[in-house]
Amino acid sequence: MELREKFGLNVRRSRKAKGMTIEGLAHHSELSYSYVGEIERGLRNPTLDVVESLAKGLGIDVARLFES
């Protein structure tokens, strides 16, 4: 599994653990819901700014999105 796929899976797991929808995470992260969905499916390679936005939207530390 590639890093972007692991990252996307961690975003999805964190989002679901918080009881958030993709739309909710997108809103809190100031991203489009389609872009967040593509990140979760491992189709996008997000920039560090986007990684930071997602972590803030989830209310977690950035490092948690890169855990194995």
Side-chain angles (χ1 to χ4, degrees), residues 4-20:
R4 72 173 181 265
E5 293 171 321
K6 289 178 186 177
F7 177 82
L9 184 60
N10 285 340
V11 170
R12 178 175 286 155
R13 286 179 179 160
S14 298
R15 175 180 61 77
K16 288 187 173 190
K18 299 276 184 173
M20 297 175 79

Side-chain angles (χ1 to χ4, degrees):
M1 183 180 290
E2 293 185 27
L3 179 59
R4 72 173 181 265
E5 293 171 321
K6 289 178 186 177
F7 177 82
L9 184 60
N10 285 340
V11 170
R12 178 175 286 155
R13 286 179 179 160
S14 298
R15 175 180 61 77
K16 288 187 173 190
K18 299 276 184 173
M20 297 175 79
T21 63
I22 291 177
E23 291 85 357
L25 175 55
H27 174 75
H28 290 293
S29 302
E30 298 181 354
L31 302 167
S32 74
Y33 72 90
S34 60
Y35 185 55
V36 173
E38 290 172 351
I39 290 170
E40 285 191 357
R41 293 190 305 277
L43 302 176
R44 292 290 190 136
N45 192 11
T47 65
L48 292 174
D49 289 338
V50 170
V51 170
E52 184 178 40
S53 293
L54 288 167
K56 285 181 181 178
L58 290 164
I60 62 173
D61 186 67
V62 170
R64 287 196 46 207
L65 295 175
F66 291 99
E67 292 176 351
S68 297

